[in-house]
Amino acid sequence: MYLNKHFSEVAESYLFSDIAHKVAAYQAAHPEADVIRLGIGDVTLPLAKPVIAALHKAVDEMGDKATFRGYGPEQGYDFLRQAIQKYYAGRGIDLQLEEIFISDGAKSDLGNLLDLFAVNNTILVPDPVYPVYVDDNVMAGRTVKYMSATAENNFLPMPEDAVDADIVYLCSPNNPTGAAYTTAQLEQWVKWAKEHNAVILYDAAYECFVSEPGCARSIYEVAGAKEVAVEVCSFSKIAGFTGTRCGYTIVPTAIEQDGMSLNKMWLRRQTTKFNGVPYIVQRGAEAVFTEEGMKEIQHNLDYYRNNAAVIAAALDEAGVWYCGGKNSPYVWMRCPAGMKSWDFFDWLLENAHVVGTPGSGFGPCGEGYFRLTAFGDADKTKEAAERLKKAIASLQ
Ligand code: MLT
């Protein structure tokens, strides 16, 4: 056998596994420490009541011969695809049903989509960014180019004519920096993609957090984007499905090359390699889009937004520079006293028993920064913010 040698080119363990191991080791050595985790962007509020009711109902259906379901359509049940179609229509975006594919989450599809592209495609990613985009491509042996996202460009790199690439990843609102592109900025990306015969893989997992006018919630807000962009989204952040697993991917029928349709290729790929998301889960996801579902979910999003404001206020008081937290659940702070990201991680764990995510884990330009998630419990977030403030004050 011949192993995929490209696995030796990625870090031995995934960023969030690394953090989990470090925290577990610290906790084992200091069992008395009350560690507060604001590292991985995992939600803490339970599923909304309409979602729970829909899940229960679907479970009962599965226990009755008359309503039992076996294999479902690989691309998802029409009831959920129609609910998503309506969700986009409510924002003025017209999607065909066949363009909507239900998945078990954005992370899986971001990797799976690469089946559609040859190995010799050059990849362009912002730095820093969600590490999955880079790792997926390095594992497959593709060349990855980086565009710097820095405080100078508000962590929103724009296309450059001289930069050539075939597949570009955009994540907006951004993980980890919380920066969100405006529709006008995305127009430039769509134009660039058309001129460079490139495809945009647009990660909209955090679209529900957009609250500032002008910021885009979907790349399809840009006219003509359906000719060059695939959009990947998730129920994890909007509706707390991190443990329930459901997402969706929009593969427009307009993306074609050499007589091949990306949409048809994706359908072929999914029907061959995927047997769909459980019926029960899709019924739960459908309930997200009901009036009561949306109402409860907005309430939950406000809870997380408030956590972000609590973290931001503590950093303001501590005199630490940060951004994000407005259109995103992530607050992106500069490490105090010129510390490097992992040094600050260790220092904060030791001195405040607070866990965050080192910025350098998202790419070299993230060095010297640190990400805190607002997805935590409100009381614990307040306590963590207080500890953070005190610990930073002790440095002065
Ligand atoms: C994160 O913390 O960056 C996210 O939880 C990762 C993810 O959604 O997979």
Side-chain angles (χ1 to χ4, degrees):
M1 65 167 180
Y2 303 93
L3 293 178
N4 180 351
K5 64 178 177 18
H6 298 296
F7 272 70
S8 62
E9 294 157 24
V10 289
E12 191 171 333
S13 88
Y14 180 54
L15 173 64
F16 293 103
S17 316
D18 228 14
I19 292 172
H21 289 138
K22 271 181 176 270
V23 176
Y26 183 84
Q27 193 79 80
H30 305 87
E32 73 299 340
D34 170 25
V35 174
I36 302 179
R37 291 172 169 77
L38 301 183
I40 191 163
D42 198 2
V43 293
T44 49
L45 290 175
L47 297 175
K49 284 183 279 308
V51 172
I52 291 296
L55 291 171
H56 279 299
K57 184 164 175 279
V59 167
D60 288 342
E61 285 178 55
M62 294 298 271
D64 182 341
K65 194 162 193 313
T67 49
F68 168 78
R69 312 272 181 137
Y71 291 125
E74 294 88 345
Q75 62 273 46
Y77 284 100
D78 278 356
F79 61 77
L80 181 54
R81 299 166 88 203
Q82 278 157 358
I84 292 166
Q85 191 180 37
K86 215 169 131 204
Y87 180 58
Y88 274 77
R91 291 182 267 148
I93 296 165
D94 190 27
L95 298 179
Q96 298 166 48
L97 213 56
E98 66 191 295
E99 295 177 316
I100 304 168
F101 295 82
I102 309 304
S103 71
D104 64 350
K107 187 179 181 176
S108 326
D109 268 11
L110 285 161
N112 294 338
L113 277 164
L114 295 172
D115 274 4
L116 310 187
F117 301 97
V119 170
N120 57 356
N121 282 291
T122 297
I123 310 298
L124 184 62
V125 294
D127 166 19
V129 84
Y130 184 36
V132 166
Y133 314 149
V134 172
D135 287 0
D136 281 344
N137 282 289
V138 171
M139 283 173 186
R142 288 195 186 84
T143 304
V144 180
K145 287 185 185 173
Y146 298 87
M147 41 186 174
S148 301
T150 59
E152 285 68 46
N153 61 15
N154 296 316
F155 296 100
L156 293 169
M158 294 305 295
E160 286 174 32
D161 260 347
V163 175
D164 219 8
D166 308 301
I167 300 174
V168 56
Y169 286 82
L170 297 179
C171 176
S172 179
N174 185 268
N175 179 9
T177 66
Y181 282 112
T182 63
T183 312
Q185 287 173 316
L186 289 181
E187 263 170 29
Q188 294 184 48
W189 271 111
V190 168
K191 185 168 172 276
W192 176 90
K194 286 186 180 175
E195 287 166 2
H196 289 74
N197 191 28
V199 68
I200 297 171
L201 300 184
Y202 189 82
D203 184 348
Y206 300 93
E207 59 83 18
C208 56
F209 280 93
V210 167
S211 51
E212 289 184 327
C215 291
R217 286 176 55 196
S218 163
I219 193 157
Y220 304 127
E221 288 172 25
V222 176
K226 281 177 89 180
E227 289 152 45
V228 288
V230 170
E231 182 159 300
V232 180
C233 205
S234 164
F235 288 92
S236 289
K237 317 294 169 167
I238 186 174
F241 271 54
T242 51
T244 309
R245 309 307 310 148
C246 197
Y248 55 90
T249 294
I250 315 295
V251 187
T253 50
I255 308 180
E256 286 188 352
Q257 183 153 295
D258 304 328
M260 291 175 88
S261 146
L262 207 68
N263 177 281
K264 285 201 177 123
M265 288 168 72
W266 183 241
L267 179 64
R268 184 71 175 82
R269 190 261 172 219
Q270 291 299 79
T271 47
T272 307
K273 296 198 182 183
F274 186 52
N275 261 335
V277 175
Y279 170 72
I280 298 165
V281 171
Q282 292 193 55
R283 278 295 185 198
E286 181 193 19
V288 167
F289 299 111
T290 59
E291 208 183 312
E292 314 80 74
M294 271 295 161
K295 218 163 123 189
E296 193 169 331
I297 278 156
Q298 284 310 321
H299 186 78
N300 292 353
L301 293 176
D302 284 343
Y303 175 98
Y304 295 135
R305 284 190 185 106
N306 194 53
N307 283 347
V310 166
I311 296 169
L315 294 175
D316 279 335
E317 284 180 50
V320 170
W321 186 94
Y322 66 92
C323 62
K326 287 208 171 75
N327 297 304
S328 142
Y330 298 126
V331 176
W332 180 246
M333 61 176 279
R334 199 168 275 151
C335 300
M339 271 189 250
K340 289 186 149 195
S341 303
W342 276 108
D343 293 340
F344 183 62
F345 173 91
D346 291 333
W347 181 86
L348 194 66
L349 183 55
E350 183 71 41
N351 292 280
H353 299 156
V354 171
V355 179
T357 309
S360 56
F362 298 97
C365 286
E367 183 58 277
Y369 289 92
F370 201 70
R371 193 195 78 174
L372 293 165
T373 168
F375 280 127
D377 166 79
D379 289 337
K380 287 197 173 157
T381 302
K382 276 190 198 126
E383 169 67 22
E386 215 34 57
R387 289 190 204 168
L388 179 70
K389 199 170 68 188
K390 277 205 192 110
I392 292 173
S394 75
L395 283 169
Q396 278 134 20

